[in-house]
Amino acid sequence: QYVGWNAQAGGGIFVVKDFKGKPAIANVLETAVAENGRFKGKTLAGGAFLRPDLSFDGRRILFAWNAIEDKCYHIFVVNVDGTGLKQLTDGVVNFNGPGLMGSSDNDFDPIWLPSGRVAFLSERRGGYLRCSAARPLMTWTLHSMKEDGSDLIPISYHETNEWNPSVDRDGRIVYTRWDYVDRDDCIAHHLWTCAPDGRDPRAPHGNYPRPLSYLDTPKVDGRGLRPNGEWNIRAVPNSRKYIATASGHHAHSFGELVLIDTSVPDDGMMSQVQGITTGRSEWPDTDGEFAAAWPLSEDYYLCTWRADLILLDRFGNKELICSAEALPTRVERLMHPFPLQARPTPPVIPTATWQGERAGKDAPAATISVANVCDGDMPLPVGTHIKWLRVIQIIPQLQPVMNQPQIGYGTESLVRMPLGIVPVEEDGSVHFVAPVAKSLYFQLLDERGLAVRSMRSATYVHPGERLYCAGCHESRVSAPQVRGGIPLARRRAPSELKT
C-alpha cells in the first residue's frame, strides 16, 4: 500500500467537527492551492494521500501526496485551516529508467521532530527490496530535512526497508525495521528506535524470535508465536508502553492492536506484547480489521476499524466517531486519526553527527565501543577465547530482481565484504574507528581467526558519531556488567581496522 506505483486517486485530509453532536466533515485541502514547487497554482484534487502528521503546536499538517500521473509521493505541509500549502520535496521521476517500476524516488510518512526538523521515509539512497521477484521494488529508509525542505540528508543506512516513524516521549524516533540479516525474511519487522539525527539505532524489543539457535530444545518454529510485524508504532501518553498494529509480512498494515512493554524481559514470544483486540496465541501471516491507532492513554485509543473511525477502549468496546461513507469523496477506508489539538513537545536531543550543513566542520572520527563482547543473551561455548572482532559491510541489493544473479547459497542474500578486524581486549572490550554511512555486521573470532558468533542484525554510524554498546545483544533490562572500572579498550586510542 506504500508503493507509489500502486496509488489510486481519491481521499484527502479531513477534520471531523462536533463529533459528539451532529458530526460535520471538513476537507482541509478543499480550496488549498500549492504556493510553490512543481505543482504551484494547482490544487491536490485527484491525487492520493498518505499518513498526515500534526505539529506539536497543533497548527500545521505534514503529509505525502501522489499526483497519480507520475506515480510518486511528494511531501507537503499545510496549515490546519487549509492555507499555506507548500511542497517540501519533489520525488525524482525518471521515465527513462529501468521500466516504470523503480523509476521514481518516493518521499512519504513525514513526522515533526521536537527540534522543528522533519523526518520521513525516502527511496533516495537507492537499492532494491530483497524479495523483488515479480517486479522491481525500491528500498526506503529514514531521512531528515529542515521544515522548509532544505538540508535533506539520510539518517539511516540500513539495507532494507523501514516504516512508520513517530516520536516517543523521550524525543527519539520510533519506527519499524525490516531486518533480514541471517534470519527468515518474514519474522523480524518490529520496534526500533534512534536519535533524531539517526544515531544509535536500537532494537529494544522483538529482534530475536525463537528459536534463538539450533540448540533450542525442544526444536520449535517460532514464526507463529508472535506477530510477524508491528506497524504504526506510537508511544502511549504518560506511559512507557507503545501501541502498534500487529499484522503479517505478506499483508497490508492492517491487523490487531497490541500494547508493547519493553520494561519486562523479552522471551522472543509474547512476554512484552499484550493484545488489545485479540487474545491470539498463534499469529499466521495475515492482516486484520484494525489499522493505525492514536493512543489517548493506556485505556482509550482513536483507531480505524474496517472502514470507520472509532473510539476503542481496552476492553474492546467500540464507539463510532465517523464512517467512511459520510465523507464527501470516496475513500476505501479511514486511516491515521489524531486529535486536532496541541500536545506536549518531547525534549530536543542535540545533534551529534556531521551531515548536511554540518558536514566537514571538524568532525571527529566515528567510533564504536563495546564494554564486553561476551555479554550477550546466549553464553559463548565453554573455553572460547575471543581475540578479534571482524567488521563486515552488507551491500544493499543493487539488482532489480532477487537472485538474478543469486548471491551465495541462501536465497535473497546480499553481498558482504570484510572490512577488517580489530582486537578484543582481555576484558572483552573493543574500541575502534568505524567506517560511516555503511551497513555493518560483526563477527567474534577466536585466536585461530574462526568465527564463533555472528551478529544476525546490522548497525551503522554517521560522521562524527560515537556509538557505545554494553555487549553483543546484552539484556535490555539488567545493568551492564562492569569489571575493573573503565574497559581496557577505552583506556587507549581507538583501533584502526586491520585488513
Side-chain angles (χ1 to χ4, degrees):
Q1 78 208 65
Y2 293 93
V3 178
W5 294 101
N6 290 339
Q8 299 181 18
I13 300 174
F14 303 94
V15 177
V16 183
K17 300 180 179 180
D18 194 22
F19 64 91
K20 293 184 179 181
K22 185 178 180 180
I25 299 171
N27 183 349
V28 173
L29 299 169
E30 184 172 10
T31 60
V33 175
E35 297 181 357
N36 69 324
R38 183 153 55 96
F39 303 95
K40 182 177 180 180
K42 298 180 180 180
T43 70
L44 304 188
F49 298 82
L50 268 184
R51 202 165 182 255
D53 189 62
L54 184 68
S55 60
F56 294 104
D57 62 10
R59 297 178 179 179
R60 294 179 293 169
I61 301 172
L62 288 165
F63 63 96
W65 178 76
N66 188 320
I68 300 301
E69 64 263 20
D70 62 13
K71 293 292 188 179
C72 184
Y73 283 104
H74 321 285
I75 294 176
F76 285 76
V77 65
V78 68
N79 296 325
V80 296
D81 62 1
T83 62
L85 176 62
K86 295 181 180 179
Q87 184 176 357
L88 301 184
T89 72
D90 198 346
V92 176
V93 180
N94 175 20
F95 289 104
N96 295 318
L100 291 180
M101 294 294 183
S103 62
S104 60
D105 287 343
N106 290 276
D107 301 322
F108 60 98
D109 272 18
I111 60 167
W112 297 99
L113 297 175
S115 65
R117 288 182 68 92
V118 174
F120 61 100
L121 298 175
S122 179
E123 298 172 349
R124 292 171 183 267
R125 278 184 51 225
Y128 292 91
L129 186 66
R130 283 206 194 188
C131 57
S132 300
R135 56 186 180 176
L137 295 172
M138 303 295 287
T139 290
W140 47 77
T141 53
L142 287 166
H143 287 63
S144 170
M145 63 183 172
K146 288 184 175 180
E147 60 181 342
D148 62 1
S150 64
D151 195 31
L152 196 158
I153 57 174
I155 58 173
S156 167
Y157 298 98
H158 184 50
E159 50 85 10
T160 314
N161 296 45
E162 295 166 332
W163 304 83
N164 309 137
S166 64
V167 178
D168 71 8
R169 62 182 295 170
D170 298 323
R172 291 176 65 82
I173 298 176
V174 180
Y175 60 102
T176 299
R177 177 201 272 196
W178 280 12
D179 204 333
Y180 285 4
V181 180
D182 284 7
R183 68 186 75 211
D184 185 289
D185 61 7
C186 300
I187 57 173
H189 315 320
H190 296 81
L191 171 67
W192 280 73
T193 69
C194 68
D197 58 5
R199 284 180 296 120
D200 194 27
R202 300 277 175 174
H205 152 82
N207 199 34
Y208 286 93
R210 290 187 179 278
L212 292 178
S213 80
Y214 72 95
L215 297 175
D216 275 13
T217 303
K219 299 294 190 298
V220 295
D221 182 345
R223 289 175 292 184
L225 298 179
R226 64 173 194 183
N228 288 167
E230 296 159 351
W231 317 100
N232 302 308
I233 303 170
R234 286 193 180 274
V236 177
N238 303 313
S239 171
R240 304 306 301 184
K241 297 180 180 179
Y242 301 89
I243 197 169
T245 308
S247 187
H249 169 77
H250 298 97
H252 293 85
S253 60
F254 314 139
E256 304 288 351
L257 298 184
V258 297
L259 288 175
I260 301 170
D261 185 353
T262 62
S263 66
V264 299
D266 187 2
D267 65 355
M269 296 182 288
M270 294 290 289
S271 63
Q272 296 181 322
V273 182
Q274 172 189 350
I276 297 173
T277 62
T278 178
R280 282 188 186 180
S281 57
E282 296 183 354
W283 291 85
D285 188 9
T286 58
D287 55 20
E289 297 180 323
F290 290 88
W294 185 281
L296 303 173
S297 67
E298 288 190 13
D299 299 321
Y300 295 96
Y301 332 98
L302 283 177
C303 63
T304 51
W305 174 67
R306 297 180 179 173
D308 301 329
L309 171 63
I310 66 169
L311 175 67
L312 178 75
D313 70 16
R314 65 186 178 93
F315 301 106
N317 298 306
K318 306 179 186 72
E319 183 170 338
L320 178 66
I321 294 177
C322 180
S323 170
E325 296 178 353
L327 267 64
T329 184
R330 178 182 176 274
V331 297
E332 292 293 331
R333 62 191 300 166
L334 301 181
M335 290 283 290
H336 303 295
F338 54 81
L340 188 56
Q341 63 181 25
R343 64 191 191 277
T345 303
V348 175
I349 299 175
T351 299
T353 64
W354 278 257
Q355 299 184 100
E357 294 180 348
R358 287 169 53 90
K361 297 179 180 178
D362 300 321
T367 60
I368 296 177
S369 302
V370 184
N372 181 5
V373 298
C374 301
D375 181 6
D377 48 16
M378 290 184 292
L380 293 169
V382 175
T384 299
H385 178 246
I386 301 302
K387 180 69 174 177
W388 306 97
L389 181 142
R390 178 155 56 201
V391 181
I392 299 170
Q393 180 183 356
I394 300 176
I395 310 296
Q397 179 160 304
L398 300 179
Q399 63 268 36
V401 179
M402 72 175 186
N403 298 330
Q404 295 184 13
Q406 183 161 337
I407 299 167
Y409 180 79
T411 184
E412 304 175 35
S413 294
L414 298 182
V415 172
R416 303 186 188 194
M417 179 173 66
L419 300 180
I421 59 174
V422 292
V424 177
E425 302 293 345
E426 288 301 316
D427 62 353
S429 60
V430 173
H431 182 42
F432 64 96
V433 176
V436 301
K438 301 179 186 297
S439 184
L440 302 177
Y441 169 96
F442 305 138
Q443 286 183 326
L444 302 182
L445 311 181
D446 64 15
E447 63 273 8
R448 299 168 296 172
L450 300 180
V452 178
R453 172 171 292 170
S454 296
M455 186 172 177
R456 293 185 69 201
S457 189
T459 192
Y460 45 81
V461 288
H462 305 75
E465 179 175 358
R466 296 180 177 179
L467 179 62
Y468 299 91
C469 295
C472 292
H473 294 281
E474 71 283 354
S475 169
R476 300 295 191 263
V477 294
S478 60
Q481 300 179 19
V482 179
R483 303 181 183 90
I486 299 173
L488 295 176
R490 293 286 298 166
R491 302 180 190 180
R492 55 167 173 76
S495 304
E496 298 285 345
L497 288 173
K498 178 181 178 181
T499 57

